[in-house]
Amino acid sequence: MTAAPLSQTALLLELEAVVEKNLDRHLSMAKEWFPHEYVPWSEGRTFDGPLGGEAWSPDDSSIPEVARTALIVNLLTEDNLPSYHHEIATLFGRDGAWGTWVHRWTAEEGRHGTAIRDYLTVTRAVDPVALERARMTHMSEGYVNVHNDEVLHSLAYVSFQELATRISHRNTGKATGDPACEALLARVAADENLHMVFYRNLLAAAFELAPSQAMRAVADVLADFQMPGVGIDGFARKSVAIALAGIYDLRQHRDEVVVPVLRQWDVFNVTGLNADGETAREAIAAHLDTLETAASRFEDKRAARAARLSATR
Ligand SMILES: [Fe+2]
Ligand SMILES: [Fe+2]
């Protein structure tokens, strides 16, 4: 039996009860927290400009360069929230449980940007002028989800992206060598994990409702997956540095993001697929192999580079 594909409207309607259930789950698990409690305000000093303080200098902070780069990428990603909000509010709608979720999610993500910016400014970890200019450039570009008119594609994308963001925040925190920053980013990462669970549960329900459409969505999203910060100025160079430092690399992408999420959906045991669903599942399997090759190659290159660097020291 092959059912006709569900329309976008039908999918939203059918999933509404699942949104409601998971919204309740989210609200019962999410812990209230306050950005100001994670910022060491007494370390702050007035900057130059109208108030006549001291200009920023790279020596103001001992945080390693690559951790600064990762913090900037993570913050700019959070900063672009209005664009993401626009994308999901347009797609999921502002009514009922979907609307409640969209607004709640936006409010939580807004907390992340506030907390990280306050921390970076007070501790003088990064150049505040360059940061503000980068924010203006990045937000002026906006963000467009490549699959922005398809509900299941968007759910699949955010399931992976929230987990990727969680890992990136966590590892960035560790790379700073600053316990206060690590605590802040661990707190942010805990939120990202709950976001991932919410979206992952929704797509799990979609796999029961429309298995072939869900499989197609996952295959398409994996094929062209990019982090939401891809539009950041110098993103390619920055992401190489971030990967070399082991903050977010292909190995983590495959083994800690893609594989665990696919396992939760049990994609290789889903039944009731039509021909396109089967084709999509084969594409997912092939993609995992491609990622494996690319991740191993990257690890080899990184190891060779490390050996070269230590030989020249
Ligand atoms: Fe966030
Ligand atoms: Fe998130």
Side-chain angles (χ1 to χ4, degrees):
M1 180 200 83
T2 313
L6 292 175
S7 70
Q8 300 302 308
T9 310
L11 286 167
L12 287 171
L13 280 173
E14 293 280 352
L15 289 172
E16 172 117 35
V18 188
V19 173
E20 210 169 301
K21 194 174 126 207
N22 279 279
L23 180 61
D24 286 346
R25 179 190 181 278
H26 178 83
L27 294 176
S28 73
M29 308 232 358
K31 286 200 185 68
E32 187 183 30
W33 64 278
F34 300 95
H36 74 275
E37 294 177 354
Y38 287 82
V39 177
W41 299 97
S42 59
E43 288 178 22
R45 293 195 321 276
T46 303
F47 285 99
D48 55 337
L51 298 182
E54 269 176 75
W56 179 83
S57 139
D59 306 330
D60 286 347
S61 163
S62 58
I63 286 185
E65 188 61 33
V66 68
R68 299 184 199 213
T69 301
L71 280 160
I72 291 168
V73 168
N74 292 359
L75 174 55
L76 292 176
T77 302
E78 302 283 355
D79 277 339
N80 228 4
L81 180 61
S83 254
Y84 312 137
H85 174 81
H86 175 78
E87 292 288 282
I88 71 167
T90 306
L91 182 63
F92 297 158
R94 297 164 54 104
D95 305 322
W98 281 107
T100 309
W101 166 259
V102 166
H103 289 115
R104 170 75 194 202
W105 176 86
T106 300
E108 291 188 10
E109 297 291 2
R111 188 180 275 165
H112 300 167
T114 302
I116 299 171
R117 170 162 288 95
D118 284 350
Y119 171 86
L120 292 180
T121 308
V122 166
T123 62
R124 293 180 169 243
V126 303
D127 179 350
V129 173
L131 179 66
E132 178 60 7
R133 286 180 179 153
R135 188 187 66 82
M136 288 297 292
T137 306
H138 187 49
M139 289 190 72
S140 300
E141 290 278 311
Y143 172 81
V144 180
N145 176 355
V146 282
H147 305 286
N148 66 345
D149 52 354
E150 289 170 287
V151 173
L152 300 189
H153 284 71
S154 291
L155 291 177
Y157 176 75
V158 286
S159 299
F160 295 117
Q161 174 268 318
E162 293 281 2
L163 185 51
T165 310
R166 173 205 185 188
I167 287 169
S168 177
H169 281 307
R170 276 288 294 273
N171 290 338
T172 299
K174 287 182 202 152
T176 62
D178 173 355
C181 191
E182 199 174 342
L184 165 62
L185 294 183
R187 188 47 264 183
V188 170
D191 284 357
E192 310 295 18
N193 194 52
L194 282 182
H195 297 161
M196 178 275 289
V197 171
F198 178 91
Y199 291 124
R200 195 189 65 194
N201 286 351
L202 272 187
L203 202 70
F207 264 108
E208 290 182 14
L209 192 66
S212 298
Q213 284 172 270
M215 197 68 80
R216 170 50 57 201
V218 172
D220 288 352
V221 160
L222 285 179
D224 59 15
F225 184 86
Q226 284 190 304
M227 292 292 264
V230 66
I232 292 170
D233 213 22
F235 182 78
R237 186 172 30 85
K238 289 181 167 76
S239 53
V240 169
I242 286 166
L244 285 171
I247 292 172
Y248 195 82
D249 61 29
L250 272 175
R251 172 59 61 203
Q252 290 154 329
H253 179 66
R254 184 190 184 281
D255 293 357
E256 295 176 40
V257 175
V258 175
V259 168
V261 172
L262 293 177
R263 193 181 299 132
Q264 282 287 326
W265 294 326
D266 202 13
V267 290
F268 295 110
N269 293 307
V270 167
T271 54
L273 293 178
N274 62 21
D276 185 62
E278 290 292 358
T279 308
R281 177 154 59 191
E282 283 161 23
I284 293 170
H287 183 71
L288 283 179
D289 292 343
T290 308
L291 271 183
E292 176 56 46
T293 309
S296 301
R297 198 174 296 151
F298 174 77
E299 285 174 317
D300 291 347
K301 271 195 201 157
R302 180 167 60 190
R305 183 176 176 276
R308 254 194 338 269
L309 284 176
S310 71
T312 54
R313 233 172 245 147

